[in-house]
Structures are given as C-alpha cells and as structure tokens.
Amino acid sequence: SVDAAITEAGVDADTVSDKLSFLNIHYYAAAATKYGTLAKGGYEYDGKAYDGMFAHVEGFTTCIECHNSHTLEVKVEECQGCHEDVATVEDLRNVRMAGSEVDYNGNGDIEEGIAAELAGMQDVLMQAIQAYANEVTGKAIVYDSAAYPYFFLDANANGAVDEGEGKFDAWTPRLLKAAYNYQ
C-alpha cells in the first residue's frame, strides 16, 4: 500500500506531495510482527534482508500457545518454565534471548530486555523522522499514539500536539515509509 501510494503520487523520494498522507497498519501489527517478512507488516526497503516468522521454542510457535484464545492475555505461568524471573506480564519486557549481545538501540546496554531495545530504536527513528521533516519539508512533525491521525503538524515546534494543530501535511515518499514503520 505504501509503494502504491508513492507510485500514484509520482514524485521522487524527497519531494512533498499533497497526494500522500499517512498510511496506518492499524490492528494487524501484532500478527505481522510475529510473521515478519512473510506478512509484510512493515515497509521493506529494496536490497535489505528481513526475518521471517519468529520461531520461539518448540510448543510455543502459535499465538494461542502463549495467549489465552478468548482474552488474549499472556499465559505467564507457561513462560516461567524457561524464564524463571517472570512473575507478571510486565516482567516479560526484561527478557532477552540468551546469547544476544547486540546493542540494537546504540545505548551501550546489552543486558537490558528486548522491550527496552525496541523502545530505544523507536526513539532513534522518531528523532530521524523529526529531523528529516524539519530539514526536507520545512515543517515540524509530532506523534501522538492516542490520537488519530497520529502524526501532526507541530506548528509551535514544542514536541507536543497542542489544540488547533492539525494532521501533518507535508509527506514525502521517504517520510511516509519511515512513519509507516514507526507506527
């Protein structure tokens, strides 16, 4: 859908087009994340390699092996077989795969849980989105996960969505791809 919108707009990567607007993955993100490139839930850049389905451990490969099929709550007691320090869903944020010594977010901490690595990467991406929007489009952008359409024009450049600030309207193809993945 991102590529189709960009093709229809007919502009190069860094040209603002009024034919572009934010595209939302909406409620498919959780399943798409588990299935990686098989589900194509994130924007994938040409020439890059992307992981397929996340294979946990035997017996825990489908959604309902980890989540209650009716409430979707995580079956924390099942996690405790391998993750002895896990007593609550919140504790799962601190889990890190054994042998993973990659500092994905660049903060120097290879002991933090994967949730912190992901949050750090999200921070890095938002900083890049905001710098790009300022430098290339000349307009400040701000994000609010609780308010549709999520990306707003930050008219006073204070980093918050204030009353009267409307949706961001200076999309370029490059910015659209990054915002799609951020969401």
Side-chain angles (χ1 to χ4, degrees), residues 2-120:
V2 173
D3 281 338
I6 291 168
T7 298
E8 186 175 321
V11 295
D12 70 35
D14 298 311
T15 299
V16 173
S17 174
D18 61 1
K19 294 179 181 176
L20 294 174
S21 61
F22 176 66
L23 297 169
N24 187 11
I25 187 171
H26 201 48
Y27 60 88
Y28 297 118
T33 300
K34 172 158 178 49
Y35 287 93
T37 192
L38 301 174
K40 304 283 189 230
Y43 185 83
E44 295 185 358
Y45 294 86
D46 290 339
K48 300 292 181 184
Y50 294 91
D51 286 340
M53 187 178 96
F54 173 69
H56 196 65
V57 295
E58 190 174 325
F60 295 94
T61 57
T62 67
C63 299
I64 62 171
E65 288 170 329
C66 295
H67 295 267
N68 179 293
S69 61
H70 299 288
T71 66
L72 301 182
E73 290 181 19
V74 176
K75 300 175 185 175
V76 176
E77 63 282 353
E78 298 288 330
C79 303
Q80 294 169 338
C82 297
H83 304 287
E84 297 157 2
D85 295 337
V86 171
T88 67
V89 170
E90 188 60 32
D91 292 339
L92 291 170
R93 298 176 61 78
N94 298 320
V95 171
R96 187 173 187 116
M97 190 169 157
S100 175
E101 296 178 358
V102 176
D103 180 21
Y104 298 100
N105 63 13
N107 70 354
D109 186 351
I110 59 170
E111 302 293 321
E112 66 188 352
I114 197 65
E117 290 285 358
L118 292 171

